[in-house]
Amino acid sequence: MADKLLLGCIADDFTGATDLASQLVAAGMRVVQTIGVPGTALDDDCDAVVVALKSRTVAPERAVEASLAALDWLRDQGCERFYFKYCSTFDSTAQGNIGPVTDALMEALGVDFTLAVPALPANRRTVYNGYLFANDVLLNESGMQDHPLTPMTDPCLLRVLAPQTRHRVGLVSHHDLAKGVEAVRARIEALRGEGVGIAICDTLDESDLHLLAAAASDSVLLTGGSGLGLSIPATLEGFTARADAGRLPPIEGRALILSGSCSRATLGQLEHARGRYPSIAVEVESLAEDFDAHLQSLFDYCLARLDQGPVVVHASSPAERLREVQARFGVEASGALVERALAGLAQRLVDEAGVRRILVAGGESSGAVVEALGVEGLKIGPSIDTGVPWTHSVGREPALALALKSGNFGQVDFMTRAWEVLP
């Protein structure tokens, strides 16, 4: 391990963890991402660890339990600065889990105030007057209102967060940011004096992220999206940026693309990829009727075409079709079938067909796949697009090259260009 673990991060889903880890690597940190809370001490040489949980959509009490376990483990590694990472679209249900987890981490660390900085300007996720914009429109007009698990119908983050937390929620506005670091520090102290415990932060560009990180440089706990990951490292005592932080050796083998995401970005990427690669759809109806038979048909299709390059297997569909499937089979049941199928297919193709390089689109799908493959952690490598790096698996042989993509991330050519970036 590095002489001192400078930053410990807790992420509420697997692709979100990879997203944050990628930003930290871009800032020059050596980063290891764990899949869940490790059962042993860390033995990798690194500056930061991102613990990837699958806690975004579980019951709040389960999310809190998992997050506190991650915090305990990070503290056991000697970490003293912490970051709770959630999605830049503030994905949550009416009950949480952003608020409950933040409350629990604050209590465990003895913290009475923290910032909430979800913005990722590089991916056009910005906050103005407490309202979240995605792709330059209000969140509830961006497609996130159709998310199958966490539909976001209110763009006002103060209204979204307030019912989830025991703390008063306040705002650090763009007016404060315009006045500089000292003005933001003064605003933080004023909010604390008013009894505010969590402050949503306006963020319009990268300079705002740097300013917020500097203003909160003495904070034990910060929360937000991955954007702040570029700015936090420079505020950490003892940090020295490394030019080779994301260097990975090559991994040879067959290639596979799996997608369970139904986001607009992923649908566009799939359309582009299907013009170059063989592609087959996962049918929820067929899985429900005879799961094993449909999984075998997917396996046979891939096996016959893997030598042509990456094969695309997707369960992605437009919002109208998704609603039809969910109405017939249920939201949780249909999602579980897809995750089980993609995970099972990945496992068979790795074990039986020599697949060693896998790109997965969708947070829930990524979590299911890495669990099925027995991946204990990831070493973070070069970035494909903002927030999406190639990684190497830790804790299994043979090692795998994995790219785990949040559904909304990446340019339209992401699924084709990714293979040009792979070492």
Side-chain angles (χ1 to χ4, degrees), residues 1-2 32 38 40-46 49 73 77 376 379 394:
M1 191 193 300
V32 169
T40 59
L42 184 71
D43 59 4
D44 291 276
D45 192 20
C46 61
V49 173
W73 183 83
Q77 312 312 304
E376 297 177 1
K379 290 186 177 179
V394 174

Side-chain angles (χ1 to χ4, degrees), residues 65 232 353 372 413:
E65 180 181 10
I232 290 177
D413 63 345

Side-chain angles (χ1 to χ4, degrees), residues 103-158:
D103 287 352
L105 294 175
M106 290 174 69
E107 182 177 1
L109 291 168
V111 171
D112 66 357
F113 183 90
T114 192
L115 299 180
V117 191
L120 181 58
N123 275 13
R124 294 160 64 193
R125 314 286 175 79
T126 56
V127 180
Y128 181 77
N129 282 339
Y131 285 78
L132 180 55
F133 291 76
N135 297 322
D136 303 324
V137 300
L138 287 166
L139 182 65
N140 60 314
E141 301 173 7
S142 68
M144 280 302 298
Q145 69 271 26
D146 297 318
H147 193 287
L149 298 177
T150 53
M152 300 302 292
T153 58
D154 188 347
C156 179
L157 300 188
L158 284 82

Side-chain angles (χ1 to χ4, degrees), residues 269 359 384-385 388 403 405 410-418:
Q269 292 158 5
L359 186 159
I384 305 166
D385 265 336
V388 193
K405 186 190 85 73
Q411 302 299 314
V412 69
D413 63 345
F414 177 89
M415 291 181 178
T416 58
R417 185 165 40 82

Side-chain angles (χ1 to χ4, degrees), residues 21 49 72 101 106 108 111 158 169 223 231 233 261 263 277 289 296 300 323 352 375 392 400 406 412-413 419 422:
V49 173
D72 288 343
V101 170
M106 290 174 69
V111 171
L158 284 82
V169 179
T223 83
S231 304
S261 170
S263 73
Y277 307 138
E289 181 178 343
Q296 184 64 47
D300 292 342
R323 283 192 287 268
E352 303 174 34
V375 176
H392 279 188
L400 305 173
S406 174
V412 69
D413 63 345
W419 309 101
L422 183 65

Side-chain angles (χ1 to χ4, degrees), residues 228-252:
L228 208 57
L230 276 174
S231 304
I232 290 177
T235 71
L236 299 172
E237 184 179 353
F239 169 67
T240 301
R242 298 172 182 267
D244 62 348
R247 186 174 298 165
L248 294 176
I251 288 180
E252 302 297 332

Side-chain angles (χ1 to χ4, degrees), residues 253-258 311 342 345-347 349-350 355-361 369 373 384 389-391 400-405 419 422:
R254 288 169 155 179
L256 178 67
I257 298 173
L258 301 172
V311 177
L342 294 178
L345 180 63
Q347 187 173 27
L349 289 171
V350 167
V355 167
R356 298 291 181 265
R357 303 180 295 166
I358 307 174
L359 186 159
V360 189
V369 168
L373 293 174
I384 305 166
W390 277 107
T391 73
L400 305 173
L402 299 168
L404 309 176
K405 186 190 85 73
W419 309 101
L422 183 65

